[in-house]
Amino acid sequence: MRKLSLAAAALVIAAGAAHADSIDGAWITARGDTAVISGGTITLKTGKFAGKTIGSMKPAGDGTYAGTITDPQDDKTYSGTAKLAGSSLELTGCAMSVFCRTQTWKKK
């Protein structure tokens, strides 16, 4: 009976993960450019820095993601987090975990 309960719990967890929203897709950045996130890799598709990869995010649970964000203007890379809320993605980049900047992107 215990094995059946564990198997059922594992199935429920796997189903929840499979239905969780993904950050993959096209996004309008705070500057109005288009960025595409695919497999966690963030690449700018339009604007001055089109074609540049500016980050990488992996799921961290509860609709949050963690990884790195690169400012395309100065090529500095920061620790980053992302939180998905419907059609909005809140990206935060931090230097030394103290100096942080947040942008909100909209799903295209």
Side-chain angles (χ1 to χ4, degrees):
M1 184 68 160
R2 183 171 182 200
K3 287 182 183 180
L4 181 60
S5 295
L6 290 174
L11 183 61
V12 169
I13 291 170
H19 288 87
D21 288 335
S22 170
I23 62 173
D24 284 357
W27 295 89
I28 302 298
T29 69
R31 299 184 104 192
D33 298 327
T34 299
V36 172
I37 303 175
S38 178
T41 300
I42 307 168
T43 305
L44 292 173
K45 292 297 180 184
T46 64
K48 182 178 179 181
F49 300 102
K52 185 171 187 120
T53 298
I54 61 164
S56 178
M57 291 283 162
K58 295 187 183 219
D62 294 331
T64 62
Y65 295 77
T68 59
I69 300 282
T70 300
D71 183 337
Q73 293 189 48
D74 61 14
D75 278 331
K76 290 185 180 177
T77 300
Y78 305 94
S79 61
T81 59
K83 182 157 180 70
L84 186 61
S87 63
S88 294
L89 183 65
E90 188 174 273
L91 291 156
T92 302
C94 297
M96 301 183 303
S97 300
V98 177
F99 304 103
C100 300
R101 192 172 95 198
T102 300
Q103 289 186 359
T104 300
W105 293 3
K106 299 291 181 189
K107 190 79 165 179
K108 185 169 182 180

